[in-house]
């Protein structure tokens, strides 16, 4: 038997199989010719359906890997690679990757040696709900949480705290989620915690320099604050200086998008400025950015704000 006969025989068997579905005429007989033609049409339709289904399956297999929610999560960075000397993060680089979860999305990230803080905003533009994630280096949390046990977070032990959750993201290292200005919502807090992944990031790129003489005696870099891109635009980058990493004696200086409603009320170093009780804001004429200084005292803020030089080519300068 040659291949042509085999194919023909197979085709005829398929058609004959379809004859079982043909109803006899009113006289009790079957028109074999008509039934064979109908059977062949059914075979052709089935082949077309199978071909379409196969093509659709192939297209789906090609398309699905490109969808962001089907991509595997990036691997977590071991805690031993995130902390220096076993007890401190890199003060200029983020140590965690945070996703959108529980109706929140990241708004800003503050690096630090002993803790890193991620502020969240609601994904609903009409809502003012906010939350804060605080991640501590090993042994740097103020106290161990003593709330009732919570479901594990990424297979790590967790406990409930007032309006939030604490979990041990690595041995001896804890993180917390706090829902601000909200009633208890444990499910929401747990989903936010699940979105936090230990992952070393590159040091933050700072688009300006600060004259070291203006920083102040005893102060050093204790963190960098950046906004998450909103409409693909990062609206704020700043650096924080202090004498101690977790103390409250910090002073911060940086650049941000100016608010259209901001009006100058002073002049510093021949630059229009808006000065309030808590902030100095320089408004360089014709520039798409403002230079701000917060924290410290008034004279220190003025000195620091006027010591900033925006790098050429950055911030559309």
């Amino acid at each position: 038997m040659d291949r042509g006969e085999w194919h023909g025989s197979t085709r005829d068997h398929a058609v004959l199989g379809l004859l079982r579905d043909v109803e006899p005429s009113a006289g009790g007989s079957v028109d074999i010719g008509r039934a064979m033609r109908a059977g062949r049409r059914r075979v052709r339709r089935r082949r077309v359906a199978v071909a379409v289904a196969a093509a659709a399956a192939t297209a789906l297999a090609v398309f699905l890997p490109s969808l962001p929610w089907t991509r595997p999560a990036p691997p977590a960075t071991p805690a031993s690679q995130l902390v220096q000397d076993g007890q401190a993060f890199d003060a200029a680089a983020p140590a965690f990757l945070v996703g959108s979860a529980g109706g929140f999305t990241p708004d800003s990230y503050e690096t630090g040696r002993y803790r890193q803080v991620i502020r969240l905003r609601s994904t609903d533009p009409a809502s003012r709900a906010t939350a804060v994630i605080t991640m501590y280096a090993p042994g740097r949390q103020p106290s161990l949480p003593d709330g009732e046990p919570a479901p594990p977070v990424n297979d790590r032990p967790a406990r409930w705290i007032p309006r939030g959750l604490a979990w041990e993201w690595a041995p001896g290292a804890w993180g917390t989620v706090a829902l601000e200005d909200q009633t208890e919502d444990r499910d929401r807090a747990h989903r936010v915690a699940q979105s936090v992944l230990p992952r070393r990031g590159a040091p933050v790129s700072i688009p300006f320099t600060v004259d070291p003489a203006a920083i102040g005696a005893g102060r050093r870099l204790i963190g960098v604050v950046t906004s998450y891109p909103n409409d693909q635009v990062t609206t704020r980058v700043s650096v924080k200086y202090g004498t101690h990493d977790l103390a409250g004696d910090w002073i911060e200086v940086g650049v941000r998008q100016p608010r259209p409603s901001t009006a100058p009320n002073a002049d510093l170093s021949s630059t229009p400025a808006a000065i309030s009780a808590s902030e100095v804001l320089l408004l360089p004429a014709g520039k798409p950015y403002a230079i701000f200084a917060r924290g410290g005292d008034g004279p220190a803020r003025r000195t620091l704000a006027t010591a900033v030089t925006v790098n050429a080519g950055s911030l559309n300068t």
Side-chain angles (χ1 to χ4, degrees):
M1 180 182 295
D2 62 27
R3 293 182 62 85
E5 289 176 334
W6 174 257
H7 287 169
S9 177
T10 301
R11 183 167 59 249
D12 290 342
H13 277 297
V15 172
L16 289 173
L18 292 172
L19 289 178
R20 300 188 185 96
D21 299 328
V22 177
E23 295 292 334
S25 64
S29 62
V30 174
D31 185 334
I32 298 298
R34 181 172 62 84
M36 290 287 287
R37 289 192 296 274
R40 289 192 175 95
R41 285 196 297 271
R42 291 187 187 183
V43 169
R44 286 194 294 270
R45 285 197 295 268
R46 286 188 179 182
R47 285 176 177 169
V48 170
V50 170
V52 170
T58 301
L60 191 63
V62 171
F63 179 66
L64 280 179
S66 68
L67 297 176
W69 52 85
T70 64
R71 295 172 187 162
T77 302
S80 60
Q81 297 179 22
L82 284 180
V83 293
Q84 302 167 347
D85 300 324
Q87 59 182 359
F89 301 121
D90 182 343
F96 299 90
L97 183 67
V98 180
S100 296
F104 290 106
T105 192
D107 186 57
S108 68
Y109 195 117
E110 180 179 340
T111 66
R113 286 182 179 83
Y114 301 142
R115 71 179 177 196
Q116 303 212 343
V117 179
I118 305 95
R119 299 190 178 278
L120 312 176
R121 65 177 184 272
S122 174
T123 55
D124 179 4
S127 172
R128 293 189 175 184
T130 58
V132 178
I133 299 170
T134 305
M135 304 300 294
Y136 292 97
R140 294 295 179 174
Q141 63 276 1
S143 61
L144 293 176
D146 57 1
E148 61 181 287
V153 173
N154 298 324
D155 298 323
R156 298 294 306 170
R159 290 185 174 274
W160 298 116
I161 60 175
R163 291 190 299 180
L165 177 74
W167 77 102
E168 192 180 24
W169 66 269
W174 287 78
T176 64
V177 172
L179 306 181
E180 298 183 317
D181 303 324
Q182 295 190 44
T183 57
E184 293 282 348
D185 191 336
R186 289 183 167 184
D187 178 66
R188 196 176 197 187
H190 194 270
R191 280 184 286 156
V192 171
Q194 292 274 32
S195 76
V196 182
L197 181 70
R199 188 184 181 203
R200 179 189 294 276
V204 178
S205 178
I206 308 299
F208 58 86
T209 58
V210 181
D211 183 351
I215 295 173
R219 289 197 179 108
R220 62 173 182 170
L221 178 72
I222 61 173
V224 180
V225 183
T226 56
S227 64
Y228 275 73
N230 188 5
D231 294 330
Q232 299 184 340
V233 175
T234 299
T235 57
R236 166 183 165 177
V237 181
S238 60
V239 292
K240 294 180 79 170
Y241 300 103
T243 56
H244 299 88
D245 288 89
L246 296 180
D249 66 339
W250 55 267
I251 189 167
E252 178 183 8
V253 65
V255 292
R256 72 179 188 216
Q257 284 185 336
R259 298 181 181 90
S261 60
T262 303
N265 59 10
D267 186 275
L268 285 179
S269 300
S270 302
T271 301
I275 300 177
S276 67
S278 60
E279 182 181 67
V280 170
L281 188 67
L282 297 183
L283 301 163
K287 299 296 184 181
Y289 60 84
I291 299 170
F292 71 93
R294 301 169 55 243
D297 56 29
R301 290 194 293 270
R302 289 178 174 84
T303 299
L304 201 57
T306 56
V308 170
T309 301
V310 175
N311 300 337
S314 65
L315 304 177
N316 297 320
T317 57

